[in-house]
Amino acid sequence: SASVQAQLVNGSTHATHHAGHRSPADASTPATPHAGHRSLQDDVRHRGIEIPDSPYRTTLQLRHSITRALDEYRDLSAALVEDNSAKADRAAVAMQEALRQVSTDSMRSDGARVWRQHAELYEKVLRQFQHEDSIALKRSYFAHLSEIVYCTVKSFSLGAKLSNVFFCPMALEGKGAFWLNESKQVQNPYMGVAMPACGEMRETLGP
């Protein structure tokens, strides 16, 4: 069946939902990158996560609120590099709390709608991340968390926050997965202490 696509121009959003692929409502299930995809942008297009055609401008306070949450994503990633589930769970809780503090008051209507979608997905994935005991399953949810973070970084003017996108072809039992970092050094959250340097930088996000 035909795909359903909604696209607006200049600060509004575009989202594509292809038949047979999961919608945002299914976003709390573990992430499985699509075979043959070369970029994280390809994966999020198949998930219906909204990204505007150009980033929304942010006030200093809004930028601070969002980047505080992204700092916790960075800490969560670092905990997975160390194979430290307990530390990762603490970072997930801290990220949830930081996300709940983000206010849409200063956002225009389109930006507020995009943020609400992202926030709902964050809540579902982080809750499920904490629910899992297996670090392998936590890493699967981290892959989807990374997709949402990618969309947030692309959607809002946050400077150079988490601007480097990495890919590990061996992650998730050979399915491959992406993650974001501020550093250009490979610090693989999927392979942990066994292979922390596995992976390569695939994209650099502009301000």
Side-chain angles (χ1 to χ4, degrees), residues 8 11-15 24 48-56 66 99 102 104 107-122 148-156:
L8 300 173
S12 56
T13 61
H14 64 273
I49 309 174
E50 294 191 76
I51 304 176
D53 296 315
S54 57
Y56 296 112
I66 296 176
L99 288 163
V102 177
T104 59
M107 298 183 189
R108 293 171 54 186
S109 59
D110 284 349
R113 186 187 70 251
V114 170
W115 177 255
R116 283 192 295 269
Q117 188 211 35
H118 291 192
E120 180 181 350
L121 297 178
Y122 280 128
I148 310 167
V149 168
Y150 175 86
C151 293
T152 295
V153 173
K154 293 272 286 185
S155 297
F156 299 93

Side-chain angles (χ1 to χ4, degrees), residues 21-193:
H21 291 290
R22 288 180 291 178
S23 69
D26 305 313
S28 59
T29 54
T32 304
H34 297 271
H37 284 186
R38 300 178 183 178
S39 72
L40 190 45
Q41 178 101 15
D42 289 335
D43 281 352
V44 299
R45 281 175 179 161
H46 285 265
R47 291 186 177 276
I49 309 174
E50 294 191 76
I51 304 176
D53 296 315
S54 57
Y56 296 112
R57 294 181 181 178
T58 56
T59 63
L60 184 61
Q61 182 177 2
L62 177 59
R63 181 181 297 189
H64 175 75
S65 296
I66 296 176
T67 55
R68 180 169 166 260
L70 297 185
D71 284 342
E72 302 300 344
Y73 166 86
R74 180 197 59 204
D75 291 348
L76 196 163
S77 179
L80 292 177
V81 174
E82 299 169 3
D83 294 336
N84 192 327
S85 289
K87 188 176 178 181
D89 280 343
R90 290 194 295 272
V93 170
M95 187 174 182
Q96 276 183 310
E97 293 174 351
L99 288 163
R100 290 166 184 166
Q101 298 302 312
V102 177
S103 170
T104 59
D105 290 348
S106 65
M107 298 183 189
R108 293 171 54 186
S109 59
D110 284 349
R113 186 187 70 251
V114 170
W115 177 255
R116 283 192 295 269
Q117 188 211 35
H118 291 192
E120 180 181 350
L121 297 178
Y122 280 128
E123 184 70 26
K124 289 179 180 179
V125 173
L126 287 166
R127 185 169 57 245
Q128 192 62 42
F129 179 95
Q130 296 166 63
H131 177 73
E132 298 296 345
D133 293 325
S134 162
I135 195 167
L137 285 175
K138 286 183 184 297
R139 285 176 167 135
S140 183
Y141 283 104
F142 176 79
H144 187 46
L145 181 65
S146 297
E147 293 177 337
I148 310 167
V149 168
Y150 175 86
C151 293
T152 295
V153 173
K154 293 272 286 185
S155 297
F156 299 93
S157 297
L158 303 173
K161 197 71 176 178
L162 297 175
S163 58
N164 299 310
V165 182
F166 294 86
F167 179 74
C168 173
M170 297 178 65
L172 308 184
E173 299 182 341
K175 297 181 181 71
F178 294 89
W179 78 96
L180 291 82
N181 204 348
E182 292 170 13
S183 169
K184 292 185 178 181
Q185 179 182 356
V186 177
Q187 299 169 310
N188 191 319
Y190 300 104
M191 306 306 292
V193 296

